[in-house]
Amino acid sequence: MHHFFTTRLIVSVILLFPGMTPITSAAAEVKDPERYKQELLAIEKRLDAKLKELDEKLERLEKLKSMGESAGAVAASAGPDSGAEVVLDEPDAVIAEEVRHVAESNVVPEPDDKKAKTGLPDGFADVSYGKNGFEFRTENNRFSLAIQNRAQIRYSDPFDSDPRSIEDLERDDSSFRIRRARTRLRGHAYWPWLKYYLQYDWSQPVLRDLTLTIDKYQWAKIWFGRGKVIYNDERVTSSANQQFVNRSIVNDIFTVDRQQGVQLFGNVFPGTWHDISYSAGIFSGLGVGEGSNDDKHMMYSGRLQWNALGGEMPFSQSDIEFHEQPALNFAFAAATNRSRCTAFQTDSRSCRDLPGFAPGQDGQYRINQMMEEVRFKWQGFSVLHELHWKEIIDTFKSQGDPVRKTNLMGGLVQVGYFPHHIFPAIPRNLEFAGRYAFVDPNTQVKNDQQKEISGVVTYFFNGHANKINFQVSHLIVQNQSDQRFWLQWDLTF
């Protein structure tokens, strides 16, 4: 290739001197040999300088080519049907002209899928650390991977779990716990819109999430696998992005939790007064601990959200973004399922029995439930409200049996604020929040309500990725009460 370029360059330089005749004829007509020799030496120096400059540019050009590609391969693939890729980094006119002559046609970078067909390796061209952890990406952007870990270290006194009975309130088992220890893998494969997500919990252990998502259109996305049902904010929001140390006493009773199936979701009319987000899913209805369904019935769920002020908020609590403009979302969700489960929890035995219900048999319980939700954020101030209703029907009991149906109610409201913007002496990253929650496990029975009144102080070192919470809760079960203290460090890296 260098000989080819050298020949062309010599010809080009000769043509730069229109008054100069070819050397063979000029030699016979030389009248002043010494002067002619000096002219030739000057031309030779200019040629050497040009050749050196061209060699340096060719070397830079070759470094930008895909691995394994040689100069000979470029020449061999210079035809119109060639698959060779030439990438120019701000080429000047000389290199551009030479590349065009070598290829005998315009050569442009190929799409990623064509490059893959050459069989060249997908060497990692980009390694960085971002919001999703350590991020790796191939040169052609066909594959990406982000690795992230998270740990929650918690001290609780005098107990950790939510009390559901008088006996639970009387426990005294103060302890340190590694409440959560998780690894997340996420990225895309083959196309930027084919995304995957995997989360494993080492503290239980259990595979919590494994989804493949077709994320090509904002108005219609779909995932397959196991993951959270998009139902209510308190459950869908990651425990890493919670405002409090843990979710309220409402969660365990009314959660739809993680399921295995398929879910469609999206956002339509974004930025308008009728900005709408939605989700709809079909699932096996046994949580994530079972490989198959217990009967032919499926779980169906749906959520409709109005982004009233023209903006869909992500599922993340506390206004750490400090919204300059108010953001307001209203949502309604519903789900129905028939299985042996009356509650769910993400672990190897995810199908659970609520207190007061006998262990279920296949297809025994029909559950119908609904939820309404309000979320608001503005200038460090945040509000979350949820109200839940749940009906459990024991299909093994006769229609006239008074205990065939059980209705449950529950709800919460929590408010948080970063007071630095009113009292500058308070650290900017310090938030104060309060929560009230209640559960009525059977609306036909009196004096059985469970209540929670909690306050939390959180210092955010680096948003939700690194924070410390101190929470105090006053817990009431059947008119008896006790206090619980939580201190937790949540670190994502």
Side-chain angles (χ1 to χ4, degrees):
M1 177 186 287
H2 284 240
H3 293 301
F4 179 81
F5 282 139
T6 301
T7 303
R8 284 189 46 77
L9 187 58
I10 291 172
V11 174
S12 300
V13 171
I14 291 173
L15 293 177
L16 290 175
F17 298 89
M20 187 176 177
T21 57
I23 294 176
T24 54
S25 60
E29 300 175 3
V30 172
K31 296 180 180 180
D32 189 349
E34 186 61 28
R35 180 180 177 184
Y36 188 76
K37 180 180 177 180
Q38 294 301 323
E39 289 179 352
L40 289 177
L41 289 174
I43 292 172
E44 183 179 8
K45 289 181 180 179
R46 290 198 294 270
L47 285 174
D48 288 339
K50 281 289 184 180
L51 287 173
K52 184 177 179 180
E53 180 183 353
L54 183 58
D55 284 340
E56 291 175 352
K57 292 179 179 178
L58 286 173
E59 185 178 352
R60 292 200 302 270
L61 177 63
E62 289 170 358
K63 286 182 180 179
L64 294 175
K65 296 176 183 177
S66 301
M67 291 189 305
E69 188 173 19
S70 64
V74 173
S77 60
D81 297 328
S82 169
E85 179 181 8
V86 178
V87 182
L88 302 180
D89 184 10
E90 299 183 359
D92 60 14
V94 174
I95 284 189
E97 178 67 15
E98 295 303 333
V99 171
R100 283 194 293 271
H101 281 288
V102 171
E104 297 182 357
S105 64
N106 290 328
V107 179
V108 296
E110 294 175 310
D112 290 340
D113 57 344
K114 288 187 178 180
K115 181 176 179 180
K117 293 178 182 178
T118 64
L120 299 178
D122 293 323
F124 281 114
D126 182 23
V127 180
S128 61
Y129 186 86
K131 67 176 183 178
N132 294 321
F134 292 95
E135 300 177 357
F136 305 86
R137 190 179 305 271
T138 56
E139 288 179 329
N140 54 18
N141 199 33
R142 282 166 56 84
F143 302 92
S144 71
L145 168 65
I147 303 175
Q148 190 174 62
N149 298 290
R150 182 163 68 93
Q152 278 187 351
I153 301 173
R154 180 188 301 174
Y155 171 73
S156 57
D157 180 62
F159 47 80
D160 186 77
S161 59
D162 295 326
R164 302 298 177 183
S165 64
I166 301 298
E167 291 75 15
D168 292 340
L169 279 177
E170 295 174 347
R171 288 174 298 164
D172 188 4
D173 53 2
S174 300
S175 60
F176 287 95
R177 299 183 62 194
I178 299 178
R179 179 61 180 84
R180 294 173 173 92
R182 300 176 182 175
T183 297
R184 298 168 174 168
L185 305 177
R186 73 181 87 202
H188 67 260
Y190 300 102
W191 304 278
W193 46 263
L194 181 57
K195 298 182 179 179
Y196 62 88
Y197 177 69
L198 182 150
Q199 181 178 211
Y200 192 84
D201 193 333
W202 302 95
S203 63
Q204 290 182 302
V206 64
L207 177 63
R208 303 181 72 84
D209 301 276
L210 179 56
T211 60
L212 295 177
T213 304
I214 299 176
D215 187 3
K216 196 169 185 178
Y217 306 105
Q218 182 180 1
W219 55 271
K221 307 175 185 180
I222 187 169
W223 69 246
F224 307 85
R226 68 166 58 177
K228 289 180 180 178
V229 179
I230 304 176
Y231 186 74
N232 67 306
D233 175 89
E234 187 179 40
R235 187 65 186 97
V236 177
T237 297
S238 169
S239 56
N241 297 333
Q242 295 283 325
Q243 190 167 44
F244 287 73
V245 170
N246 212 9
R247 298 178 176 93
S248 73
I249 62 172
V250 174
N251 178 70
D252 290 347
I253 307 298
F254 296 93
T255 181
V256 185
D257 207 73
R258 288 176 168 87
Q259 300 290 337
Q260 299 182 133
V262 57
Q263 190 163 210
L264 176 70
F265 59 102
N267 178 219
V268 294
F269 315 117
T272 66
W273 70 267
H274 49 287
D275 188 327
I276 298 293
S277 301
Y278 72 92
S279 69
I282 304 175
F283 312 94
S284 296
L286 288 179
V288 299
E290 300 287 342
S292 59
N293 204 344
D294 63 338
D295 57 17
K296 65 179 181 180
H297 300 284
M298 294 287 183
M299 171 186 283
Y300 302 92
S301 74
R303 174 185 169 99
L304 189 65
Q305 175 177 300
W306 176 33
N307 307 313
L309 298 180
E312 179 186 28
M313 282 188 286
F315 288 107
S316 179
Q317 298 174 5
S318 301
D319 188 20
I320 61 174
E321 306 89 355
F322 197 79
H323 284 71
E324 291 294 342
Q325 300 297 325
L328 176 63
N329 294 166
F330 297 97
F332 173 81
T336 183
N337 183 40
R338 180 171 175 175
S339 69
R340 61 174 180 268
C341 317
T342 52
F344 298 99
Q345 184 171 331
T346 303
D347 62 13
S348 57
R349 192 178 68 84
S350 55
C351 183
R352 297 300 182 93
D353 306 307
L354 284 176
F357 290 87
Q361 301 180 41
D362 292 352
Q364 179 176 356
Y365 295 111
R366 163 65 69 182
I367 296 179
N368 303 309
Q369 59 188 96
M370 295 184 294
M371 183 277 315
E372 64 89 7
E373 172 190 293
V374 180
R375 292 187 290 161
F376 177 79
K377 291 183 179 182
W378 187 34
Q379 295 186 351
F381 178 72
S382 62
V383 177
L384 169 64
H385 161 70
E386 294 181 5
L387 183 63
H388 294 260
W389 170 82
K390 185 173 182 178
E391 177 187 58
I392 301 176
I393 302 174
D394 187 344
T395 61
F396 287 9
K397 296 185 182 299
S398 62
Q399 290 286 346
D401 194 322
V403 296
R404 174 182 167 86
K405 292 183 180 181
T406 303
N407 288 302
L408 301 85
M409 292 286 293
L412 67 95
V413 59
Q414 64 187 52
V415 179
Y417 186 62
F418 291 85
H420 168 81
H421 303 282
I422 296 179
F423 305 103
I426 299 176
R428 177 185 299 272
N429 297 331
L430 191 65
E431 183 194 36
F432 296 86
R435 176 167 70 196
Y436 171 79
F438 80 94
V439 170
D440 188 345
N442 190 337
T443 57
Q444 296 178 342
V445 177
K446 296 182 178 180
N447 300 321
D448 64 341
Q449 284 196 2
Q450 304 158 13
K451 297 179 182 180
E452 173 196 347
I453 303 171
S454 295
V456 67
V457 179
T458 304
Y459 188 84
F460 297 87
F461 294 100
N462 185 23
H464 283 299
N466 188 1
K467 62 186 178 183
I468 289 181
N469 314 81
F470 177 67
Q471 179 174 330
V472 179
S473 298
H474 182 70
L475 302 164
I476 303 171
V477 177
Q478 299 175 20
N479 295 324
Q480 294 194 31
S481 64
D482 200 355
Q483 283 71 45
R484 178 182 60 196
F485 302 90
W486 274 336
L487 177 63
Q488 179 172 279
W489 183 16
D490 194 323
L491 180 65
T492 301
F493 55 95

